[in-house]
Amino acid sequence: VAVGTGGGGGIGAAIAESLGRTGTFVVTVDPLVSVDGSERLPEPEQTTAGRIVAAGGRARASGASVTDGAGVRQLFTELADEFGGLDAVVNVAGITRPTSFGKGSDDDWRDILSVHLDGYLNVLTAALPLMAAAGHGHILGVTSGSGWRSADAGAYGCAKRAVAALTWQLGRHAPPGVVVNAISPIAATRMVTEALSRAQAANPRATGGLSLAAMPEPEHLGPLGAHLVAEEFTACRGRVIFAGGSEVAVIDEPRLIEVVRGDDVPAPLLKAATTTALVPAEANQVSGGGSNARFGALFDHVEPGEPAATSIRSCALVADDSEVAAALSQALAERGVTCHPIAGPSELAEITDL
């Protein structure tokens, strides 16, 4: 039994539908409001829950809001009573408004923090006791690059930084059997589209380092989100995972880079420490994030051509997926490489002299 907040569309819907394909009973929680949260949207012809059911899965929809702490607790408790427990929660719910630092009204700041931060705290408060009592469960929060790298994102960036901090801290101290992680996704969602349009209306050259053409569609992130809350997933706890379609990476928590004593230290030493340690360390953690189209269309449009020449003539191939092994063997053969698939330790001994 899994709950997906913000499951009415975008990444929340993609994760919910991926969970639905695994046989999980999914409850999508979404009041269906505009991107800025200011107005209710008309009921869609087909909801996310409806698509899951139509595809043969089990699901239902809830119009609750994560800002309603009592409502969230009641929903989670009722699900636990009905099904005997609550196995997973994915908290994607969010809104966006122009609240860069020094801008935005007090109400805008409060509303952004209410959904992204207070809403997540409501989810944690409702889910953790149930999962602690059951001795198992998965919680997946959602942060953003605006929360862990330089960005003039105001309330949104502050809230997302708090979600990352909660993940790094709570993940190591969650009740036994409970796994808490977060993803930092980038995808061409309506929230991203709205934020880019707003920025470019003020400054046509402003993109925030993001390019819609380089971003994956939300459905490409669904399988990863579902995997991170699967019952058997225990590979990591208290981690923030960047998810950008074909790219996945671990985002390290803040840590001390270097220490230089400050009392009576000659200026040349401080200058050397800065240029030798601090500047390179800062440069090495810069990432293009979702705007880095390192693979991009290569996955969609592979042009045929002559294989590149290689001096390698023999290769041992270890793979637990026969289709992957066959594809790699064919690609190697086209380059003149003899492939030796290895199915077990006994076969490994036979090719050690190759």
Side-chain angles (χ1 to χ4, degrees):
V1 179
V3 171
T5 75
I11 295 172
I15 295 176
E17 291 185 49
S18 291
L19 283 168
R21 288 191 287 271
T22 68
T24 301
F25 183 89
V26 183
V27 179
T28 59
V29 177
D30 199 320
L32 298 177
V33 297
S34 58
V35 175
D36 65 1
S38 63
E39 58 181 327
R40 296 293 292 267
L41 298 175
E43 188 75 17
E45 291 185 6
Q46 188 175 40
T47 63
T48 302
R51 289 194 297 273
I52 293 172
V53 172
R58 299 176 300 144
R60 73 171 65 138
S62 167
S65 169
V66 294
T67 61
D68 179 6
V72 172
R73 287 193 298 274
Q74 180 179 350
L75 172 64
F76 287 13
T77 300
E78 289 176 351
L79 287 173
D81 290 343
E82 180 180 356
F83 293 98
L86 177 64
D87 300 301
V89 177
V90 182
N91 185 57
V92 189
I95 62 174
T96 180
R97 293 182 190 173
T99 58
S100 58
F101 292 104
K103 298 179 182 178
S105 68
D106 290 346
D107 287 342
D108 288 337
W109 273 73
R110 276 191 291 266
D111 288 347
I112 290 285
L113 294 174
S114 176
V115 174
H116 289 275
L117 180 53
D118 296 339
Y120 187 40
L121 294 176
N122 287 337
V123 167
L124 291 171
T125 301
L128 281 173
L130 297 173
M131 294 178 176
H136 68 89
H138 285 72
I139 297 177
L140 187 67
V142 176
T143 181
S144 164
S146 300
W148 48 265
R149 60 183 173 88
S150 177
D152 186 12
Y156 180 81
C158 290
K160 290 307 187 183
R161 181 67 176 201
V163 170
L166 277 169
T167 303
W168 288 321
Q169 295 174 12
L170 182 60
R172 273 77 160 184
H173 301 282
V178 180
V179 178
V180 179
N181 290 299
I183 57 172
S184 179
I186 187 69
T189 63
R190 60 176 185 152
M191 183 180 292
V192 170
T193 302
E194 173 70 18
L196 284 176
S197 298
R198 194 167 55 230
Q200 290 177 325
N203 178 1
R205 295 185 178 182
T207 65
L210 300 176
S211 169
L212 286 174
M215 294 181 193
E217 294 299 317
E219 56 265 28
H220 294 169
L221 277 60
L224 175 65
H227 174 67
L228 293 176
V229 295
E231 181 179 2
E232 66 274 11
F233 181 80
T234 58
C236 63
R237 290 175 169 82
R239 287 294 196 178
V240 176
I241 309 296
F242 169 79
S246 60
E247 297 182 308
V248 176
V250 174
I251 299 168
D252 281 341
E253 58 195 279
R255 65 189 187 279
L256 195 62
I257 296 175
E258 191 60 80
V259 177
V260 178
R261 189 177 72 245
D263 297 333
D264 301 322
V265 176
L269 177 57
L270 288 176
K271 182 178 180 180
T274 301
T275 56
T276 301
L278 302 184
V279 172
E282 174 65 19
N284 288 336
Q285 64 180 338
V286 173
S287 169
S291 64
N292 190 344
R294 286 177 286 184
F295 302 118
L298 289 177
F299 282 98
D300 303 320
H301 307 287
V302 179
E303 296 293 336
E306 291 296 325
T310 176
S311 60
I312 298 174
R313 291 290 174 261
S314 180
C315 176
L317 173 61
V318 183
D320 57 2
D321 187 312
S322 59
E323 293 183 1
V324 171
L328 286 172
S329 296
Q330 180 179 348
L332 289 165
E334 291 173 355
R335 287 160 175 79
V337 180
T338 301
C339 192
H340 304 274
I342 299 173
S346 60
E347 294 189 18
L348 180 62
E350 297 175 6
I351 66 164
T352 53
D353 293 331
L354 293 177

